[in-house]
Structure formats: C-alpha cells, structure tokens
Amino acid sequence: MKIMMREVCLGVEGLFELLYNELRQSTRASKQNCQDVARRIADEVNRICNESNRIQNSGDVDSWAQNLANHRLKQVCHYYKLGSLQGRVELQSTLSAIIYRYITPHQTPTSYQARLNMIEDFLQGFYAEALNAFRRETSLEETYRPRSLLELSEYMAFTERYGKRRIPLPGRRSQQLVILRAQTFSQQQPPETSVDMDTAAEGAAQESDATWNDAAIQQVREAMVLSDSEPLDSSLRETVIKELFAYLEERQQHDCANYFTLRLKDLPTREIEEILGINPRQRDYLQQRFKYHLIRFALSHRWELVHQWLGADLDRNLGLTPKEWQRFQQKLSSQQSELLKLKQQGYSNEEISKTLGCTLNQAQKRWFKLLEIAWDIRNSSVSGSGRSKDE
C-alpha cells in the first residue's frame, strides 16, 4: 500500500484527507471511525515533523511526512486485515521475539516455558503502559479504550512502534524501549515466585488436560467445575463465576470469557480449539492471557470474595494451618507485617495507604504480593504430602 502524496506542502489537513480516503477504501470502518483515526495519525506525523531538528534541517519535510504517514497507515491496515485475535497473536509474537533473551527467571533453571510465562506477565503490563502512552500522545481521555476493529488496529500498530522506539543511553548508545522495560522487569522479579498459582490458572508447559487436574490446583479446579450436589455454597460459587465474567467483559476480554465458559464445562483441549476455531498456538496465547486475568481477579480485584469462597479469608488466617501461618509471618517484612495487621483490624485501603505513607495503588500492590506469599505456602502443602483433616 502506498499513499500517493502531491508534491506540495500538504499540511496536516491535506495529510488528513489522504489518510481518511485511504482508510475508507481499505477498511469497512464507519466514516466517523476513519476520520478519528486519520486525524490522530495526521496530528502525530505533524508533531514529529515539527519537533524533529533532523527533519526540519533536511529541507524535505514533505517527503518525511509522506513516509511517516505511509508507514503508520500500512501498519494499521496490516493489523486490521489480520483481525482482532490474529492481530493480537502477531503483536505478541513480534514483541516476544524482541525481548525473549532479555527475560530470565530469577535464580531458577532457564526453561522455555518459564520464559514464556514471564514474557506473558511482562507484556500484559507493557500493553497497559502503551495504552496510557497512546492516550497521552493523542490527547485522548484517560478512560479511552479501543472499541472497533480499526481502533484496536491503530492501538496495536502504536504499541509495536512504541516498543521499538530507540531510547538514547550513555556513550552514544541506544536501546529499544521494550527491551529496557523487559530488563527492568526481569531484574525486579523476587527469588520466590508462586509457580503453583501459575499452574492453577493453566500455565503448565504441556498442552494437555492434566494442567486442569494437577494436585496443586485441585482446590481451584474443584470449586470452578463442582456440581450442585457437592457440599460447597453454590450461591457463593455462582457469585464468583458471575464476578469473574463481569471482570473479563469490563476489560473487553471476550475471548477469555468464551474460553472460561468452555473450561467450566470441563471440555478437553482439542474440543475447545475446535469450538473457538483456533489452532494450538492461538489457544496457548489465549490460555496464558486468561491465566493472567484469573490471577489478578483472584488476588487483587475481588480477593475477599475469592478467599471467602475458598475458605481462605483473613478470619481463617488466609486458609493456612497454624504451622503454615507461622511460616507465613516469618517471611513477611516489617512493612508487610504492619499491612497485615491493619487489614486484620478492618482498616480501609484508603486508611491503610495513609498509615503506611504510600499511594492507594502501592498499598494494593503490596497486599497483592502478600497474598501471593500465602498462596504459595498453601499450594506447596497441597502439592506435597497433603494436609491431614484435623489440621
């Protein structure tokens, strides 16, 4: 695809018209949708040309504008043609290939699956960062989210360019932004990670149904697919399932919701792939994304509800036996111990953040980490010799 620009100074309005006409011809998006995307691309190109000394000094600003606009248009149309699901797979593959060798599990044997899990976790955070950057650079509201396929394609194209941006470093060196972020992420990983929580959300290496039946995830799995005849509070179970669906829909994770629906029916992997019309590689990406959201929902978004459902709320020492509870407390820093005490005393998140002298978001992240430690201890007992019934 090539934008045929006139050899005159087009300006932002002329650039907008050409981009708009090309989008109308190349996509099935609405007129308003094409106008919005064309306007944002034209404004971005104009801003880059105005702020770049190299472009201004080149004496050929029009050619630069044409090339920049053409590159962005080709990227957007490329993702548009791929579609929502395949486009996300393509973006994930592109960024994963760039950062693969920079993501290394901390103090653990470097395995292919371990890296994939870390890459998935990292990219989820990077996608959120890219969305915030996209809103900021295009002057969109903080609540903006891509709604149409064209808007999603625009965001994915921006995310790819955002990740590949060259950041200047000392010694006349530079590095791509996504690599710098990946290196920082890898260095910040704690020595102990909750492997069993990953397994509980189907993060195992083998593409088989064993991942949904392993001993380490027995508690979650039984609760998720339990029949009504089992001695679990069915109304609480239904509430958790309903809340998880709402959580996924709110975040536009419709394919994850579909995957969850099929998993609730305990269907085998091959049948799920056939119903969703995806191949094993696509199903693996979907499975990993669902894992990510399940972890966030269980340990952060509605942790009180989930832990009550699993019999692991604060009143029951997060589901830990006396020995495990003692071990858990020994692992906590003084700051984490104070946070736990405030939670036990019923303080709100706002009150806790003020008491600890941190932001609300920081307090929630610290609590998330504390719950991960408890989950890790609880799962290590389940996957080991098991607990006795009188514990």
Side-chain angles (χ1 to χ4, degrees), residues 246-281:
Y247 171 89
L248 294 172
E249 292 296 333
E250 181 183 348
R251 285 156 180 77
Q252 303 293 310
Q253 298 295 324
H254 306 302
D255 44 358
C256 285
N258 293 336
Y259 177 79
F260 180 42
T261 300
L262 299 176
R263 264 309 182 188
L264 284 174
K265 297 178 181 179
D266 232 7
L267 297 179
T269 299
R270 287 185 177 274
E271 192 170 341
I272 289 176
E273 292 171 357
E274 291 177 5
I275 293 173
L276 295 180
I278 56 179
N279 58 41
R281 184 188 180 205

Tab-separated table of all heavy atoms in Angstrom, residues 246-281:
chain	number	residue	atom	x	y	z
A	246	ALA	N	-17.920	-10.756	34.678
A	246	ALA	CA	-18.058	-9.293	34.612
A	246	ALA	C	-16.699	-8.628	34.497
A	246	ALA	O	-16.519	-7.657	33.755
A	246	ALA	CB	-18.805	-8.789	35.851
A	247	TYR	N	-15.729	-9.163	35.245
A	247	TYR	CA	-14.362	-8.640	35.212
A	247	TYR	C	-13.777	-8.759	33.802
A	247	TYR	O	-13.169	-7.821	33.280
A	247	TYR	CB	-13.512	-9.417	36.218
A	247	TYR	CG	-12.023	-9.152	36.165
A	247	TYR	CD1	-11.446	-8.141	36.910
A	247	TYR	CD2	-11.183	-9.945	35.381
A	247	TYR	CE1	-10.076	-7.911	36.871
A	247	TYR	CE2	-9.818	-9.730	35.329
A	247	TYR	CZ	-9.266	-8.712	36.083
A	247	TYR	OH	-7.918	-8.489	36.033
A	248	LEU	N	-13.973	-9.916	33.174
A	248	LEU	CA	-13.433	-10.138	31.831
A	248	LEU	C	-14.133	-9.255	30.798
A	248	LEU	O	-13.488	-8.686	29.912
A	248	LEU	CB	-13.577	-11.615	31.442
A	248	LEU	CG	-12.745	-12.611	32.263
A	248	LEU	CD1	-13.118	-14.049	31.912
A	248	LEU	CD2	-11.253	-12.391	32.047
A	249	GLU	N	-15.455	-9.138	30.915
A	249	GLU	CA	-16.202	-8.325	29.949
A	249	GLU	C	-15.841	-6.852	30.088
A	249	GLU	O	-15.727	-6.133	29.094
A	249	GLU	CB	-17.710	-8.521	30.166
A	249	GLU	CG	-18.220	-9.905	29.818
A	249	GLU	CD	-18.077	-10.229	28.336
A	249	GLU	OE1	-18.073	-9.282	27.520
A	249	GLU	OE2	-17.955	-11.412	27.988
A	250	GLU	N	-15.664	-6.395	31.326
A	250	GLU	CA	-15.318	-4.993	31.559
A	250	GLU	C	-14.002	-4.632	30.885
A	250	GLU	O	-13.802	-3.510	30.435
A	250	GLU	CB	-15.231	-4.724	33.064
A	250	GLU	CG	-14.887	-3.285	33.425
A	250	GLU	CD	-14.733	-3.093	34.924
A	250	GLU	OE1	-15.106	-4.005	35.689
A	250	GLU	OE2	-14.229	-2.034	35.323
A	251	ARG	N	-13.100	-5.600	30.807
A	251	ARG	CA	-11.789	-5.376	30.205
A	251	ARG	C	-11.729	-5.822	28.747
A	251	ARG	O	-10.659	-5.981	28.189
A	251	ARG	CB	-10.714	-6.097	31.035
A	251	ARG	CG	-10.423	-5.357	32.333
A	251	ARG	CD	-9.862	-6.255	33.410
A	251	ARG	NE	-9.602	-5.468	34.612
A	251	ARG	CZ	-10.555	-5.078	35.459
A	251	ARG	NH1	-11.817	-5.417	35.225
A	251	ARG	NH2	-10.254	-4.361	36.533
A	252	GLN	N	-12.900	-6.009	28.151
A	252	GLN	CA	-13.003	-6.375	26.737
A	252	GLN	C	-12.303	-7.701	26.426
A	252	GLN	O	-11.810	-7.894	25.308
A	252	GLN	CB	-12.424	-5.248	25.860
A	252	GLN	CG	-13.076	-3.886	26.055
A	252	GLN	CD	-14.515	-3.852	25.589
A	252	GLN	OE1	-14.830	-4.265	24.490
A	252	GLN	NE2	-15.418	-3.379	26.448
A	253	GLN	N	-12.252	-8.597	27.421
A	253	GLN	CA	-11.613	-9.899	27.228
A	253	GLN	C	-12.680	-10.945	26.880
A	253	GLN	O	-12.877	-11.929	27.586
A	253	GLN	CB	-10.838	-10.303	28.488
A	253	GLN	CG	-9.718	-9.359	28.857
A	253	GLN	CD	-8.625	-9.334	27.812
A	253	GLN	OE1	-8.302	-10.362	27.206
A	253	GLN	NE2	-8.054	-8.155	27.584
A	254	HIS	N	-13.368	-10.710	25.757
A	254	HIS	CA	-14.487	-11.577	25.391
A	254	HIS	C	-14.019	-12.996	25.062
A	254	HIS	O	-14.709	-13.966	25.373
A	254	HIS	CB	-15.229	-10.980	24.192
A	254	HIS	CG	-15.659	-9.557	24.403
A	254	HIS	ND1	-16.489	-9.176	25.439
A	254	HIS	CD2	-15.355	-8.412	23.730
A	254	HIS	CE1	-16.703	-7.874	25.381
A	254	HIS	NE2	-16.012	-7.384	24.360
A	255	ASP	N	-12.852	-13.113	24.408
A	255	ASP	CA	-12.363	-14.446	24.068
A	255	ASP	C	-11.973	-15.224	25.327
A	255	ASP	O	-12.141	-16.433	25.404
A	255	ASP	CB	-11.196	-14.389	23.084
A	255	ASP	CG	-10.171	-13.323	23.437
A	255	ASP	OD1	-10.391	-12.600	24.422
A	255	ASP	OD2	-9.156	-13.211	22.736
A	256	CYS	N	-11.456	-14.507	26.341
A	256	CYS	CA	-11.156	-15.167	27.618
A	256	CYS	C	-12.434	-15.652	28.287
A	256	CYS	O	-12.473	-16.727	28.895
A	256	CYS	CB	-10.418	-14.210	28.556
A	256	CYS	SG	-8.684	-13.936	28.122
A	257	ALA	N	-13.507	-14.859	28.185
A	257	ALA	CA	-14.794	-15.253	28.757
A	257	ALA	C	-15.324	-16.505	28.057
A	257	ALA	O	-15.857	-17.416	28.704
A	257	ALA	CB	-15.792	-14.102	28.649
A	258	ASN	N	-15.171	-16.560	26.732
A	258	ASN	CA	-15.604	-17.749	25.988
A	258	ASN	C	-14.787	-18.971	26.398
A	258	ASN	O	-15.329	-20.074	26.560
A	258	ASN	CB	-15.458	-17.504	24.481
A	258	ASN	CG	-16.409	-16.436	23.977
A	258	ASN	OD1	-17.450	-16.181	24.586
A	258	ASN	ND2	-16.061	-15.800	22.874
A	259	TYR	N	-13.486	-18.766	26.555
A	259	TYR	CA	-12.605	-19.861	26.981
A	259	TYR	C	-13.014	-20.359	28.368
A	259	TYR	O	-13.075	-21.565	28.625
A	259	TYR	CB	-11.157	-19.369	26.984
A	259	TYR	CG	-10.153	-20.379	27.472
A	259	TYR	CD1	-9.705	-21.397	26.633
A	259	TYR	CD2	-9.651	-20.329	28.774
A	259	TYR	CE1	-8.787	-22.327	27.071
A	259	TYR	CE2	-8.736	-21.253	29.221
A	259	TYR	CZ	-8.300	-22.260	28.365
A	259	TYR	OH	-7.396	-23.186	28.820
A	260	PHE	N	-13.311	-19.423	29.277
A	260	PHE	CA	-13.721	-19.768	30.633
A	260	PHE	C	-15.025	-20.565	30.611
A	260	PHE	O	-15.193	-21.542	31.354
A	260	PHE	CB	-13.877	-18.490	31.453
A	260	PHE	CG	-14.292	-18.707	32.888
A	260	PHE	CD1	-13.742	-19.725	33.644
A	260	PHE	CD2	-15.230	-17.874	33.486
A	260	PHE	CE1	-14.116	-19.925	34.970
A	260	PHE	CE2	-15.610	-18.062	34.799
A	260	PHE	CZ	-15.057	-19.083	35.542
A	261	THR	N	-15.969	-20.166	29.753
A	261	THR	CA	-17.244	-20.878	29.639
A	261	THR	C	-17.028	-22.342	29.271
A	261	THR	O	-17.632	-23.249	29.864
A	261	THR	CB	-18.127	-20.215	28.570
A	261	THR	OG1	-18.382	-18.859	28.950
A	261	THR	CG2	-19.456	-20.944	28.427
A	262	LEU	N	-16.142	-22.568	28.315
A	262	LEU	CA	-15.867	-23.937	27.885
A	262	LEU	C	-15.105	-24.710	28.949
A	262	LEU	O	-15.307	-25.916	29.120
A	262	LEU	CB	-15.071	-23.911	26.572
A	262	LEU	CG	-15.789	-23.243	25.386
A	262	LEU	CD1	-14.881	-23.188	24.165
A	262	LEU	CD2	-17.082	-23.983	25.057
A	263	ARG	N	-14.237	-24.026	29.698
A	263	ARG	CA	-13.496	-24.706	30.756
A	263	ARG	C	-14.421	-25.107	31.903
A	263	ARG	O	-14.216	-26.133	32.556
A	263	ARG	CB	-12.379	-23.795	31.276
A	263	ARG	CG	-11.025	-24.058	30.637
A	263	ARG	CD	-10.693	-25.511	30.696
A	263	ARG	NE	-9.386	-25.828	30.140
A	263	ARG	CZ	-8.949	-27.055	29.958
A	263	ARG	NH1	-9.706	-28.069	30.243
A	263	ARG	NH2	-7.754	-27.267	29.468
A	264	LEU	N	-15.445	-24.311	32.158
A	264	LEU	CA	-16.413	-24.660	33.195
A	264	LEU	C	-17.134	-25.962	32.856
A	264	LEU	O	-17.586	-26.683	33.746
A	264	LEU	CB	-17.433	-23.535	33.369
A	264	LEU	CG	-16.963	-22.288	34.125
A	264	LEU	CD1	-18.031	-21.210	34.087
A	264	LEU	CD2	-16.610	-22.621	35.569
A	265	LYS	N	-17.234	-26.246	31.571
A	265	LYS	CA	-17.874	-27.491	31.130
A	265	LYS	C	-16.890	-28.652	31.135
A	265	LYS	O	-17.269	-29.784	30.788
A	265	LYS	CB	-18.444	-27.303	29.722
A	265	LYS	CG	-19.551	-26.250	29.659
A	265	LYS	CD	-20.064	-26.068	28.231
A	265	LYS	CE	-21.148	-24.994	28.182
A	265	LYS	NZ	-21.648	-24.781	26.800
A	266	ASP	N	-15.626	-28.362	31.495
A	266	ASP	CA	-14.587	-29.397	31.581
A	266	ASP	C	-14.337	-30.078	30.233
A	266	ASP	O	-14.060	-31.273	30.164
A	266	ASP	CB	-14.959	-30.448	32.629
A	266	ASP	CG	-13.824	-30.666	33.624
A	266	ASP	OD1	-12.841	-29.909	33.566
A	266	ASP	OD2	-13.922	-31.590	34.455
A	267	LEU	N	-14.404	-29.296	29.159
A	267	LEU	CA	-14.167	-29.859	27.828
A	267	LEU	C	-12.680	-30.080	27.602
A	267	LEU	O	-11.850	-29.322	28.100
A	267	LEU	CB	-14.714	-28.918	26.755
A	267	LEU	CG	-16.225	-28.675	26.762
A	267	LEU	CD1	-16.600	-27.692	25.655
A	267	LEU	CD2	-16.992	-29.975	26.591
A	268	PRO	N	-12.304	-31.084	26.819
A	268	PRO	CA	-10.888	-31.315	26.516
A	268	PRO	C	-10.341	-30.211	25.616
A	268	PRO	O	-11.089	-29.510	24.927
A	268	PRO	CB	-10.898	-32.667	25.804
A	268	PRO	CG	-12.275	-32.808	25.256
A	268	PRO	CD	-13.172	-32.131	26.240
A	269	THR	N	-9.025	-30.089	25.609
A	269	THR	CA	-8.364	-29.009	24.876
A	269	THR	C	-8.711	-29.018	23.393
A	269	THR	O	-9.007	-27.976	22.804
A	269	THR	CB	-6.836	-29.123	25.048
A	269	THR	OG1	-6.516	-28.997	26.431
A	269	THR	CG2	-6.120	-28.031	24.279
A	270	ARG	N	-8.671	-30.191	22.769
A	270	ARG	CA	-8.938	-30.272	21.325
A	270	ARG	C	-10.342	-29.782	20.983
A	270	ARG	O	-10.552	-29.084	19.987
A	270	ARG	CB	-8.761	-31.716	20.837
A	270	ARG	CG	-7.319	-32.170	20.767
A	270	ARG	CD	-7.224	-33.562	20.163
A	270	ARG	NE	-5.841	-33.982	20.036
A	270	ARG	CZ	-5.065	-33.691	19.008
A	270	ARG	NH1	-5.556	-32.958	18.022
A	270	ARG	NH2	-3.826	-34.120	18.948
A	271	GLU	N	-11.295	-30.124	21.823
A	271	GLU	CA	-12.677	-29.706	21.575
A	271	GLU	C	-12.821	-28.195	21.732
A	271	GLU	O	-13.551	-27.547	20.970
A	271	GLU	CB	-13.620	-30.435	22.523
A	271	GLU	CG	-15.083	-30.288	22.141
A	271	GLU	CD	-15.988	-31.215	22.933
A	271	GLU	OE1	-15.475	-32.199	23.510
A	271	GLU	OE2	-17.199	-30.942	22.979
A	272	ILE	N	-12.118	-27.625	22.708
A	272	ILE	CA	-12.152	-26.172	22.904
A	272	ILE	C	-11.595	-25.468	21.679
A	272	ILE	O	-12.153	-24.473	21.207
A	272	ILE	CB	-11.357	-25.786	24.164
A	272	ILE	CG1	-12.111	-26.228	25.425
A	272	ILE	CG2	-11.110	-24.272	24.222
A	272	ILE	CD1	-11.361	-25.970	26.715
A	273	GLU	N	-10.492	-25.980	21.134
A	273	GLU	CA	-9.893	-25.376	19.941
A	273	GLU	C	-10.846	-25.438	18.756
A	273	GLU	O	-10.958	-24.476	17.978
A	273	GLU	CB	-8.578	-26.087	19.607
A	273	GLU	CG	-7.476	-25.844	20.630
A	273	GLU	CD	-6.263	-26.716	20.417
A	273	GLU	OE1	-6.300	-27.573	19.499
A	273	GLU	OE2	-5.279	-26.557	21.153
A	274	GLU	N	-11.556	-26.559	18.620
A	274	GLU	CA	-12.495	-26.702	17.506
A	274	GLU	C	-13.665	-25.736	17.639
A	274	GLU	O	-14.080	-25.102	16.671
A	274	GLU	CB	-13.012	-28.148	17.448
A	274	GLU	CG	-11.958	-29.160	17.023
A	274	GLU	CD	-12.496	-30.582	17.054
A	274	GLU	OE1	-13.709	-30.749	17.311
A	274	GLU	OE2	-11.710	-31.518	16.821
A	275	ILE	N	-14.203	-25.608	18.844
A	275	ILE	CA	-15.349	-24.723	19.069
A	275	ILE	C	-14.967	-23.267	18.827
A	275	ILE	O	-15.720	-22.504	18.209
A	275	ILE	CB	-15.898	-24.906	20.492
A	275	ILE	CG1	-16.506	-26.302	20.656
A	275	ILE	CG2	-16.947	-23.837	20.821
A	275	ILE	CD1	-16.927	-26.627	22.071
A	276	LEU	N	-13.784	-22.860	19.312
A	276	LEU	CA	-13.352	-21.472	19.163
A	276	LEU	C	-12.735	-21.197	17.797
A	276	LEU	O	-12.508	-20.029	17.447
A	276	LEU	CB	-12.332	-21.124	20.263
A	276	LEU	CG	-12.860	-21.151	21.707
A	276	LEU	CD1	-11.740	-20.792	22.687
A	276	LEU	CD2	-14.024	-20.175	21.883
A	277	GLY	N	-12.457	-22.244	17.041
A	277	GLY	CA	-11.883	-22.064	15.715
A	277	GLY	C	-10.459	-21.537	15.743
A	277	GLY	O	-10.076	-20.692	14.926
A	278	ILE	N	-9.649	-22.040	16.676
A	278	ILE	CA	-8.270	-21.579	16.813
A	278	ILE	C	-7.331	-22.774	16.789
A	278	ILE	O	-7.744	-23.916	17.041
A	278	ILE	CB	-8.057	-20.776	18.123
A	278	ILE	CG1	-8.475	-21.627	19.347
A	278	ILE	CG2	-8.842	-19.479	18.091
A	278	ILE	CD1	-8.272	-20.921	20.684
A	279	ASN	N	-6.056	-22.502	16.472
A	279	ASN	CA	-5.059	-23.567	16.455
A	279	ASN	C	-4.384	-23.658	17.823
A	279	ASN	O	-4.605	-22.799	18.688
A	279	ASN	CB	-4.036	-23.340	15.334
A	279	ASN	CG	-3.322	-21.993	15.467
A	279	ASN	OD1	-2.968	-21.573	16.567
A	279	ASN	ND2	-3.109	-21.309	14.339
A	280	PRO	N	-3.559	-24.690	18.053
A	280	PRO	CA	-2.930	-24.848	19.370
A	280	PRO	C	-2.121	-23.645	19.818
A	280	PRO	O	-2.132	-23.298	21.001
A	280	PRO	CB	-2.039	-26.087	19.180
A	280	PRO	CG	-2.737	-26.881	18.128
A	280	PRO	CD	-3.307	-25.871	17.187
A	281	ARG	N	-1.418	-22.991	18.889
A	281	ARG	CA	-0.618	-21.828	19.271
A	281	ARG	C	-1.507	-20.678	19.743
A	281	ARG	O	-1.235	-20.022	20.748
A	281	ARG	CB	0.228	-21.378	18.081
A	281	ARG	CG	1.172	-20.228	18.411
A	281	ARG	CD	1.843	-19.710	17.157
A	281	ARG	NE	2.743	-18.608	17.463
A	281	ARG	CZ	3.091	-17.674	16.604
A	281	ARG	NH1	2.591	-17.705	15.389
A	281	ARG	NH2	3.915	-16.720	16.929
